[in-house]
Amino acid sequence: MKQGSCITDWAAVSTPAICCILVGIAASCAPHPTSIGTDGALARTIQEVEAGRVSTPLIEQSSPGSEASVTFLVKGTGDGVPRIVSDVTGWGVRPDDETFDLTVGATTRIGKTEWYRLETHVAPRARVEYLVVLGPTDYRVDPNNPRQAALHTSGPVSEMVTPDYVPPPAFAEPHVTPRGRTVEGTINSRVLGGSRRVIVYLPSTYRDDGAYPIAVFHSGWGRVRTGELPRVLDWLVAHGTIKPIIVAFLQSYLPGDADNREGPPMRSYLTEEALEWLVERFSITSDPGERAVLAVSYGAKDALDAALAPGSPYGCVGLMIPGRRLTPADLLALTERPVRSLRVAILAGRYDGANLATARNADRVLTGAGHDVDFMLVPEGHNRATWRNHFGDVLVSLFGI
């Protein structure tokens, strides 16, 4: 525990779970009949995989809360050594974001078979996304793993979880009632040079004479249209985990908008135009401590810029898997501004190799500047499912009862 900063490592949070060896996603709670550490044993297991009785990867965890060993299995095509690119083994993107390391995730042939293996270890309660690479441009889901994450921007990816993984209750349980509602609108923005859409979530208890906390989700308009985030909000409010809250999901960027109106225009949009539009139409508190600006990945820099602007209407900020666009120089410049202390929630992925350093640096710099930081480290990567699954954790950190 650091002074002025709360660190939560969700991989270390214990939970009741079945202590077993899990083969792929099949809920087999008896030990695997053979060790998966030898080629002979793997050859026998492969027969089960080919027969469709065992799914991949092979995941072994001795007890809940312990590290899990993972053996990826893939059948080659004769065109080179297959690879497994993933949150935990690396996706191969070099720091320039333009070239790839084509050696990442290389597998090892199993005896004289057509099958290859790659072994690694993951933290407890981990959720890992991955793809099988059979050629320079041939990226596929694992044909022997029926579990997929359907939220990847370029299509489905394979997904594996440890036996003690706990899915978000808002999705694992039936959708609660009563439910809030959403209202759609358009903000005519002078600073951004055109109109932007907005979807506003109102809790089931909403009244026009209230004064509700608000979270403004920068560039969240496209992320809410599936209905998943309102479901999370309904669950949190119904269980009394957070106060009844208004959440505005903004369209901030437009396709083809090369510079995204970054810097002062976006800051004015978030701190002035968008919030003024919301206050005119909904019952929103005037207390900055009950107002938050949220963002994911690329947008983290804009959200922090808005929260740390002189006279900002926001006293809270949520940074979900912040991306490298938020540089160390940006952090130092932003924290030199003479502003009130903020309540900050930072969601970081243990397997977000390219961006974890950014999240850790934001934690260090903001804490050093006197802000109240809650740093949440989850055993997942940099993807949409990660922040979606932990969106509720960020809101609890900022608005929890």
Side-chain angles (χ1 to χ4, degrees), residues 198-266:
V198 58
I199 297 176
V200 181
Y201 169 88
L202 301 174
S204 60
T205 57
Y206 177 80
R207 303 191 323 270
D208 288 335
D209 60 349
Y212 293 87
I214 185 166
V216 175
F217 197 148
H218 167 46
S219 192
W221 178 79
R223 306 174 191 271
V224 72
R225 301 182 72 193
T226 62
E228 292 173 314
L229 299 188
R231 178 170 180 153
V232 173
L233 290 162
D234 288 340
W235 191 94
L236 293 172
V237 173
H239 285 79
T241 309
I242 65 171
K243 307 166 187 175
I245 185 177
I246 295 173
V247 182
F249 299 91
L250 303 181
Q251 182 185 46
S252 305
Y253 311 129
L254 290 180
D257 194 355
D259 62 4
N260 289 324
R261 302 294 193 270
E262 295 164 359
M266 189 60 69

Side-chain angles (χ1 to χ4, degrees), residues 7 26 72 76 78 85 121 163 166 188 190 213 234 270 274 301 306 308 310 352 357 382 386 394:
I7 302 178
F72 292 98
V85 292
H121 292 83
V166 179
N188 295 315
R190 177 186 57 81
D234 288 340
L270 294 174
K301 178 179 177 179
L308 290 173
D352 186 359
H382 192 93
T386 294
V394 172

Side-chain angles (χ1 to χ4, degrees), residues 168-177 179 231 234-235 238-239:
F171 301 127
E173 299 175 5
H175 196 162
V176 300
T177 54
R179 302 175 187 176
R231 178 170 180 153
D234 288 340
W235 191 94
H239 285 79

Side-chain angles (χ1 to χ4, degrees), residues 319-397:
L319 309 177
M320 294 177 278
I321 52 174
R324 285 170 290 171
R325 177 175 168 241
L326 181 60
T327 67
D330 292 330
L331 279 163
L332 290 175
L334 291 172
T335 52
E336 288 177 352
R337 295 174 178 173
V339 296
R340 72 172 74 88
S341 176
L342 296 175
R343 172 67 175 164
V344 184
I346 301 176
L347 173 68
R350 179 186 291 271
Y351 301 121
D352 186 359
N355 303 286
L356 179 55
T358 296
R360 291 193 184 279
N361 190 47
D363 174 30
R364 180 184 62 82
V365 174
L366 290 166
T367 299
H371 300 287
D372 182 12
V373 181
D374 184 5
F375 184 82
M376 295 171 282
L377 183 65
V378 299
E380 303 184 43
H382 192 93
N383 50 67
R384 185 174 179 179
T386 294
W387 70 259
R388 179 207 68 165
N389 289 349
H390 297 281
F391 173 65
D393 298 328
V394 172
L395 291 178
V396 170
S397 175

Side-chain angles (χ1 to χ4, degrees), residues 48-371:
E48 297 295 294
V49 172
E50 291 180 320
R53 291 188 290 267
V54 168
S55 58
T56 57
L58 311 179
I59 308 171
E60 183 177 5
Q61 187 176 35
S62 60
S63 62
S66 66
E67 186 179 67
S69 62
V70 181
T71 302
F72 292 98
L73 295 176
V74 56
K75 190 173 184 179
T77 60
D79 296 328
V81 177
R83 295 188 296 126
I84 301 292
V85 292
S86 73
D87 296 326
V88 67
T89 63
W91 292 92
V93 182
R94 292 193 173 101
D96 60 12
D97 280 334
E98 296 179 357
T99 58
F100 289 84
D101 181 351
L102 300 181
T103 65
V104 165
T107 56
T108 302
R109 191 171 184 178
I110 302 172
K112 296 182 180 181
T113 72
E114 298 177 284
W115 287 79
Y116 292 75
R117 67 190 288 181
L118 176 64
E119 295 185 347
T120 188
H121 292 83
V122 298
R125 300 179 64 150
R127 188 193 65 83
V128 172
E129 296 185 4
Y130 69 99
L131 288 170
V132 175
V133 185
L134 297 176
T137 60
D138 189 354
Y139 289 71
R140 306 181 184 182
V141 295
D142 184 346
N144 299 301
N145 179 3
R147 180 168 189 140
Q148 296 180 2
L151 299 175
H152 199 273
T153 55
S154 58
V157 292
S158 292
E159 179 186 69
M160 55 141 287
V161 298
T162 58
D164 60 353
Y165 172 77
V166 179
F171 301 127
E173 299 175 5
H175 196 162
V176 300
T177 54
R179 302 175 187 176
R181 60 189 175 94
T182 57
V183 179
E184 298 195 38
T186 301
I187 301 173
N188 295 315
S189 173
R190 177 186 57 81
V191 294
L192 297 186
S195 62
R196 297 292 189 273
R197 298 179 181 179
V198 58
I199 297 176
V200 181
Y201 169 88
L202 301 174
S204 60
T205 57
Y206 177 80
R207 303 191 323 270
D208 288 335
D209 60 349
Y212 293 87
I214 185 166
V216 175
F217 197 148
H218 167 46
S219 192
W221 178 79
R223 306 174 191 271
V224 72
R225 301 182 72 193
T226 62
E228 292 173 314
L229 299 188
R231 178 170 180 153
V232 173
L233 290 162
D234 288 340
W235 191 94
L236 293 172
V237 173
H239 285 79
T241 309
I242 65 171
K243 307 166 187 175
I245 185 177
I246 295 173
V247 182
F249 299 91
L250 303 181
Q251 182 185 46
S252 305
Y253 311 129
L254 290 180
D257 194 355
D259 62 4
N260 289 324
R261 302 294 193 270
E262 295 164 359
M266 189 60 69
R267 185 190 316 138
S268 295
Y269 176 62
L270 294 174
T271 60
E272 299 173 15
E273 288 185 335
L275 195 55
E276 289 170 1
W277 186 93
L278 291 163
V279 169
E280 288 175 359
R281 290 163 176 79
F282 304 101
S283 299
I284 294 171
T285 179
S286 60
D287 179 5
E290 296 281 276
R291 292 175 168 183
V293 56
L294 314 176
V296 174
S297 190
Y298 182 91
K301 178 179 177 179
D302 298 321
L304 194 58
D305 181 26
L308 290 173
S312 173
Y314 302 107
C316 305
V317 60
L319 309 177
M320 294 177 278
I321 52 174
R324 285 170 290 171
R325 177 175 168 241
L326 181 60
T327 67
D330 292 330
L331 279 163
L332 290 175
L334 291 172
T335 52
E336 288 177 352
R337 295 174 178 173
V339 296
R340 72 172 74 88
S341 176
L342 296 175
R343 172 67 175 164
V344 184
I346 301 176
L347 173 68
R350 179 186 291 271
Y351 301 121
D352 186 359
N355 303 286
L356 179 55
T358 296
R360 291 193 184 279
N361 190 47
D363 174 30
R364 180 184 62 82
V365 174
L366 290 166
T367 299
H371 300 287

